[in-house]
Amino acid sequence: MEAWFASERILTNSQIVLAQREGSRLGLSFSEVVQRLGLVTGEELSRYRSIRGQLRTASDFIREGQGEGNHLSLRRLSLDDALRSKLPMELCQSLVAVPVAERDGVLWVATSNPFDLPTLKRLETAAGQAVEALPASETDIRLAINRNYAAHDELYDAVGAFIQMDAALLNEQSQDDPPMIRLAEQILMHAATREASDVHLHPEERFFRIRLRVDGVLEEGLLLPSAIRSALTARFKILAGMDTAEDRLPQDGRIHFAIGSEEVDIRVSSLPCSNGESLVMRLLDQSRLQLKLPTLGFSEEQEAQFSEILDQPHGVFLITGPTGSGKTTTLYSLLSMIDAEARSVFTLEDPIEYRLPLIRQTQIKDEIGLSFASGLRTLLRQDPDVILVGETRDQVTAELMIRAALTGHLVFSTLHTNDAISAVPRLTDLGIPPYLLSSSLIGLSAQRLGRRLCPVCREAYTLTPEEWVGLGGGPVEGPVELFRAVGCHACGDNGYNGRISLAEIIRVGPKLRNLIDNHQPTAILKQHLKKQGIPLMRQDGLAKARAGLTTVEEVGRVIQLESELETADA
């Protein structure tokens, strides 16, 4: 087991020795220890079990036959009535198992322990047929059970309990009453089940609205009586460790919400508004974090470009894009590719979204003077090899970052610009001399997140060569096959399932370095990129639309429709 985790670069040798020592001391198995220490996820453990028993994982089984590049998973699986009737919800919850499919008279069931024969026997007895086990994490199974058996009913039951109350009873509800506690738990469970990135508690004049952001799109949401607004808000503030008596000032807090053996970290922000406090909760699910570039949607060519950047001994690499475009996840993926045993890696983040093994992560706290600039100044005395600066916000941070690169450090950071090359004028505006910028910058990237097409129900159609060129695609000789969203049971009838990165990566070579050194305007820099044939975000998005991973409508939604290079030439 230890050898497999080492070969897959999931655990380092020092982590394996630590787990073995703690296992001997506590009398626990290796798998129990690595989970308790947070060294492996439930998904990684289920993959090991699948290899050990020569079994397919539940997610691999679900993806079979759905085409290359699809990312259907157990927690996104939607069961039909026939499958749900095979095993009752109570049995699924007690045995931590859920039916996945029925093929040739055999019921395939996802279970956290595929080698537990008594459990398999009970499942066979309940289903009245042969059962085959598929390894899966406990968290994924519990979310699949909730999605298919309970999510809709339990949340609406919790909401319905308040809708049925009269005005006097509603006004008496407090944050500690059982119905309020149940409602708060069901909102968080429903959000985790839907894989929402954010939950909005939106106060309106006559209603209190609960909205989810799923795959980057904010849904209309549920309406609750306005009378319970204060109590429900207070309930979440208690969970987040915030001051319930303070509703005049913004506050921040965190909730740790347990699902099975793992926790979802939830970042909470409150803001006073005219109709009451607005609460927004961001879900940071460590078990859902994918730190593989292909899984995030990057092509093999883009992965090779990132690898070349990571091989550089020093320099600055910047990722640009708006909030919520996946910059931090991409940076975490790059850090996970670095041998943190051989190189000293530090991060400065605001906030720390996910915990990374062997990497020293520091939370920025401006209120006590720990800013990106002061933290970076101290980091340079901590003998770092690689530094991640969560965001370049001001001139001092930018100057220290450039200085770190020039003194032999590899520095990663983010910047808020519309495209990658616009980072150059942005940094010069912050006071970085072009000659220093050109000598320290090794690469630039920009990205957006588009919704990923559901591979089950996507529908093919064709465009003429003229229509394709009109969208910004390259010249072609014949019709171009694309795909449109349809909607089915597997994707919740919206046609999309997950998100995919649409990115551009620019390596700073001698010619571009010379243009930056000579303080050339952005239009000239963009013309250079066009001459070099560097594919930008729009071209990357269209290539992924042509591959059936997303739609041209999604590319147009998240990326500027007009070609920026064409604008520069005009």
Side-chain angles (χ1 to χ4, degrees):
M1 183 176 192
E2 292 89 333
W4 182 82
F5 281 117
S7 66
E8 292 293 309
R9 297 188 64 184
I10 296 171
L11 295 176
T12 63
N13 290 330
S14 61
Q15 289 172 326
I16 290 172
V17 171
L18 170 66
Q20 289 172 333
R21 185 175 66 243
E22 289 300 300
S24 299
R25 186 175 68 86
L26 299 173
L28 298 173
S29 68
F30 186 80
S31 62
E32 290 174 317
V33 169
V34 291
Q35 272 199 299
R36 286 196 184 188
L37 293 175
L39 297 177
V40 301
T41 65
E43 179 68 26
E44 289 165 340
L45 200 56
S46 69
R47 185 161 294 280
Y48 163 75
R49 285 169 174 158
S50 73
I51 293 172
R52 171 190 162 196
Q54 296 183 328
L55 304 171
R56 287 168 289 183
T57 66
S59 291
D60 288 341
F61 181 88
I62 293 165
R63 291 170 187 159
E64 283 181 1
Q66 301 300 340
E68 186 179 353
N70 82 77
H71 283 72
L72 291 181
S73 61
L74 176 60
R75 61 174 62 189
R76 283 183 175 263
L77 181 68
S78 294
L79 303 178
D80 57 30
D81 293 338
L83 266 178
R84 277 199 299 271
S85 66
K86 294 288 182 179
L87 297 173
M89 181 179 73
E90 293 76 14
L91 183 67
C92 290
Q93 289 175 329
S94 65
L95 298 182
V96 194
V98 66
V100 171
E102 184 181 16
R103 297 180 185 173
D104 300 324
V106 175
L107 184 65
W108 293 83
V109 178
T111 174
S112 59
N113 190 351
F115 310 115
D116 185 353
L117 296 180
T119 293
L120 296 180
K121 191 65 178 176
R122 287 183 63 186
L123 291 171
E124 286 184 342
T125 301
Q129 64 187 113
V131 167
E132 289 286 348
L134 298 166
S137 72
E138 181 184 348
T139 300
D140 283 356
I141 293 170
R142 292 197 182 278
L143 287 175
I145 294 170
N146 194 65
R147 180 188 186 98
N148 290 283
Y149 287 92
H152 186 278
D153 293 339
E154 292 198 13
L155 177 61
Y156 279 83
D157 286 347
V159 171
F162 290 100
I163 294 176
Q164 293 169 11
M165 293 180 185
D166 57 32
L169 192 56
L170 279 173
N171 289 324
E172 292 175 1
Q173 296 299 307
S174 76
Q175 64 267 23
D176 297 320
D177 288 334
M180 197 66 64
I181 295 173
R182 182 188 176 210
L183 177 60
E185 289 178 349
Q186 286 305 314
I187 289 171
L188 295 181
M189 191 66 181
H190 184 67
T193 301
R194 294 285 313 281
E195 293 193 312
S197 59
D198 301 89
V199 181
H200 289 240
L201 272 63
H202 184 177
E204 300 181 18
E205 186 174 354
R206 301 187 330 181
F207 301 103
F208 191 42
R209 191 184 298 270
I210 301 169
R211 310 177 72 186
L212 303 183
R213 187 180 294 278
V214 180
D215 292 339
V217 177
L218 196 59
E219 298 179 345
E220 184 177 351
L222 289 170
L223 294 179
L224 291 170
S226 184
I228 70 167
R229 172 183 55 77
S230 297
L232 184 58
T233 301
R235 182 68 213 160
F236 282 116
K237 290 173 76 171
I238 289 172
L239 293 173
M242 299 158 68
D243 185 358
T244 58
E246 179 58 77
D247 58 5
R248 301 164 301 168
L249 295 172
Q251 294 187 66
D252 293 304
R254 292 185 98 94
I255 297 173
H256 299 285
F257 185 65
I259 303 174
S261 60
E262 297 176 354
E263 280 189 344
V264 177
D265 192 19
I266 303 173
R267 202 170 74 222
V268 185
S269 170
S270 71
L271 178 70
C273 297
S274 58
N275 293 316
E277 281 186 284
S278 169
L279 220 63
V280 176
M281 298 179 282
R282 169 151 292 188
L283 280 71
L284 306 170
D285 187 353
Q286 188 90 23
S287 68
R288 193 159 54 98
L289 181 63
Q290 300 288 340
L291 294 182
K292 304 289 185 183
L293 292 175
T295 305
L296 298 178
F298 291 100
S299 65
E300 290 183 5
E301 183 181 352
Q302 290 170 332
E303 187 178 6
Q305 289 177 297
F306 279 131
S307 296
E308 289 176 6
I309 289 165
L310 291 172
D311 287 339
Q312 300 301 309
H314 54 80
V316 173
F317 179 74
L318 295 171
I319 299 184
T320 72
T323 301
S325 59
K327 301 187 299 296
T328 301
T329 302
T330 300
L331 285 174
Y332 281 164
S333 299
L334 296 179
L335 290 186
S336 72
M337 295 167 65
I338 295 172
D339 184 355
E341 283 196 320
R343 301 170 82 179
S344 176
V345 184
F346 289 83
T347 75
L348 295 170
E349 302 174 64
D350 185 21
I352 296 174
E353 296 193 2
Y354 298 101
R355 309 288 174 175
L356 300 175
L358 285 183
I359 292 176
R360 282 165 278 189
Q361 298 172 263
T362 299
Q363 167 71 55
I364 294 303
K365 296 180 181 178
D366 286 315
E367 64 273 14
I368 61 171
L370 180 53
S371 63
F372 280 112
S374 63
L376 184 53
R377 193 177 284 110
T378 303
L379 268 193
L380 293 176
R381 298 192 291 270
Q382 289 280 312
D383 187 30
D385 294 308
V386 181
I387 300 171
L388 166 62
V389 181
E391 184 181 344
T392 304
R393 294 177 178 173
D394 52 47
Q395 180 178 352
V396 177
T397 305
E399 288 175 346
L400 287 168
M401 189 173 64
I402 297 297
R403 192 180 92 188
L406 293 174
T407 53
H409 305 89
L410 186 59
V411 183
F412 298 92
S413 189
T414 68
L415 204 61
H416 290 289
T417 61
N418 288 331
D419 56 13
I421 201 62
S422 295
V424 173
R426 176 82 176 99
L427 288 172
T428 55
D429 288 344
L430 285 175
I432 305 299
Y435 72 92
L436 286 180
L437 186 58
S438 64
S439 57
S440 60
L441 204 59
I442 58 173
L444 298 164
S445 178
Q447 67 180 64
R448 302 289 188 274
L449 291 178
R451 286 182 292 176
R452 190 187 292 269
L453 263 175
C454 174
V456 177
C457 63
R458 65 184 184 183
E459 182 179 84
Y461 69 99
T462 58
L463 291 181
T464 65
E466 293 75 21
E467 289 172 328
W468 174 248
V469 172
L471 287 173
V476 291
E477 294 184 359
V480 175
E481 184 180 62
L482 295 174
F483 297 83
R484 61 168 62 95
V486 177
C488 67
H489 194 62
C491 60
D493 293 319
N494 64 20
Y496 296 96
N497 211 324
R499 291 197 282 178
I500 186 172
S501 293
L502 312 177
E504 60 191 32
I505 303 171
I506 301 169
R507 291 298 311 278
V508 180
K511 292 183 179 178
L512 182 56
R513 188 169 283 118
N514 186 55
L515 291 175
I516 296 172
D517 199 10
N518 291 323
H519 209 172
Q520 293 296 325
T522 307
I524 300 298
L525 299 180
K526 290 184 177 182
Q527 287 176 3
H528 167 75
L529 299 181
K530 184 177 181 180
K531 290 176 183 176
Q532 295 294 312
I534 295 174
L536 301 186
M537 272 187 295
R538 191 171 179 225
Q539 284 71 48
D540 184 52
L542 290 175
K544 285 166 181 171
R546 196 171 181 180
L549 300 176
T550 188
T551 63
V552 291
E553 290 79 12
E554 271 300 288
V555 176
R557 183 179 70 85
V558 300
I559 299 174
Q560 210 170 312
L561 279 176
E562 65 272 18
S563 170
E564 292 159 355
L565 288 180
E566 290 170 1
T567 304
D569 290 340

